[in-house]
Amino acid sequence: MTSLTVLTLPDHTQLPDSDGTFVKNLQEHPQSILITDSIKPILEKLHPDGQYCIGQDSGIYWRLTDPPEKGAEAPDWFYVPNVPPTLNGKIRRSYVLWKEYIAPLIVIEFVSGDGAEERDKTPPSQGNEGKVGKFWVYEQAIRVPYYAIYEVAKAQVEVYHLVDNNYQLMTPNEQGHYPIKPLGVELGIWQGLYQNADLPWLRWWDEAGNLLLTGEERAAVEKQKREKLVEKLRSLSPEQLHALGIDLEMLE
């Protein structure tokens, strides 16, 4: 009787977590922090159990190759719903599709060059030395529902939605934003100062059109509210403050 051989596929601890490249420009790291920080309250509401994962310039392994890193794409930012943030108490070195099966809901690429790499649709059958186009991988292999290509130099973002197994370029709404309906948010360009740089940043809005703030921005808003309240209370008489149970020294 012939015994069955068990095929064991490598996991994130056995695959390279880097291909030796580095971030292309100094804007990419703060841009990743900005969109991660501002969407965190939304994700905490969607996942009260904490079951979600965010990757920033991290590898997604979608096929087995030699060397292994040729079988991975490393988006600048991606979000995967309904997966644990760590595996067996260990930080993920990469995201391995054949171990978890759930594709990212959205992948975002930050363009540093002319955008050709991010829009490359070369299939495996036509790629030189096994090179496969990034656009093709997200659309046909990983099947990411939303793919965004952000170009800071052009102050623009393109968002593609997977419809009938093919990416369709989305049309922005009246505010110039792209709705990401499963998240209940919109993606668009915001011109403003962040990390000491006045640039057209990629940012989130809620469905009502309100900008999703970072933790620092939320703290600044709360500080302004407190200062206005204190100023208003200081305009009251000692008798009025006493009636409200407020000691004048509390306003100092």
Side-chain angles (χ1 to χ4, degrees):
M1 182 176 180
T2 304
S3 62
L4 294 175
T5 300
V6 177
L7 175 62
T8 303
L9 297 174
D11 63 18
H12 73 113
T13 65
Q14 300 165 307
L15 294 164
D17 61 356
S18 173
D19 62 0
T21 61
F22 52 86
V23 176
K24 302 182 183 73
N25 65 60
L26 297 181
Q27 188 259 351
E28 292 191 3
H29 183 61
Q31 175 62 80
S32 290
I33 295 173
L34 175 58
I35 55 178
T36 299
D37 187 6
S38 57
I39 203 172
K40 193 174 179 181
I42 297 292
L43 297 182
E44 288 174 346
K45 288 181 180 179
L46 286 174
H47 305 285
D49 57 0
Q51 298 296 290
Y52 70 90
C53 172
I54 287 178
Q56 300 175 87
D57 204 29
S58 304
I60 301 175
Y61 278 90
W62 61 278
R63 64 171 178 169
L64 279 172
T65 58
D66 184 17
E69 54 266 32
K70 283 192 174 182
E73 287 294 342
D76 293 300
W77 194 92
F78 65 90
Y79 151 75
V80 190
N82 305 317
V83 297
T86 59
L87 295 175
N88 298 320
K90 295 181 180 180
I91 296 173
R92 296 173 182 274
R93 290 164 51 89
S94 56
Y95 189 75
V96 185
L97 276 175
W98 58 75
K99 288 292 184 180
E100 304 196 66
Y101 310 110
I102 299 176
L105 176 71
I106 181 169
V107 158
I108 303 175
E109 291 283 4
F110 308 153
V111 173
S112 287
D114 61 3
E117 179 183 353
E118 290 75 16
R119 298 179 177 89
D120 189 349
K121 301 179 182 180
T122 304
S125 60
Q126 298 176 16
N128 295 325
E129 299 179 354
K131 174 67 176 175
V132 184
K134 187 170 288 190
F135 192 103
W136 186 93
V137 171
Y138 296 147
E139 178 189 48
Q140 297 297 322
I142 303 178
R143 298 190 181 280
V144 181
Y146 293 91
Y147 174 35
I149 301 175
Y150 163 60
E151 297 186 75
V152 63
K154 295 182 180 179
Q156 72 174 30
V157 60
E158 292 176 6
V159 181
Y160 295 86
H161 185 205
L162 194 64
V163 180
D164 296 331
N165 298 321
N166 289 284
Y167 274 146
Q168 302 294 326
L169 181 62
M170 295 179 66
T171 301
N173 60 21
E174 293 179 355
Q175 289 73 40
H177 305 158
Y178 297 88
I180 311 299
K181 291 186 177 181
L183 283 172
V185 299
E186 299 174 354
L187 191 62
I189 300 296
W190 174 83
Q191 182 71 44
L193 186 67
Y194 178 72
Q195 297 276 326
N196 201 37
D198 194 339
L199 292 169
W201 298 94
L202 186 66
R203 297 201 62 165
W204 308 103
W205 284 260
D206 64 21
E207 292 178 314
N210 300 305
L211 182 68
L212 298 188
L213 304 180
T214 65
E216 185 176 349
E217 289 170 334
R218 291 193 296 272
V221 170
E222 289 303 314
K223 182 180 178 181
Q224 288 180 345
K225 288 180 179 178
R226 288 195 300 270
E227 289 175 346
K228 287 182 179 179
L229 178 60
V230 169
E231 185 178 348
K232 186 174 181 180
L233 289 173
R234 281 176 176 165
S235 67
L236 299 179
S237 67
E239 292 77 14
Q240 290 173 314
L241 291 173
H242 180 72
L244 293 172
I246 298 175
D247 191 330
L248 188 60
E249 293 182 356
M250 296 170 59
L251 304 179
E252 298 301 327

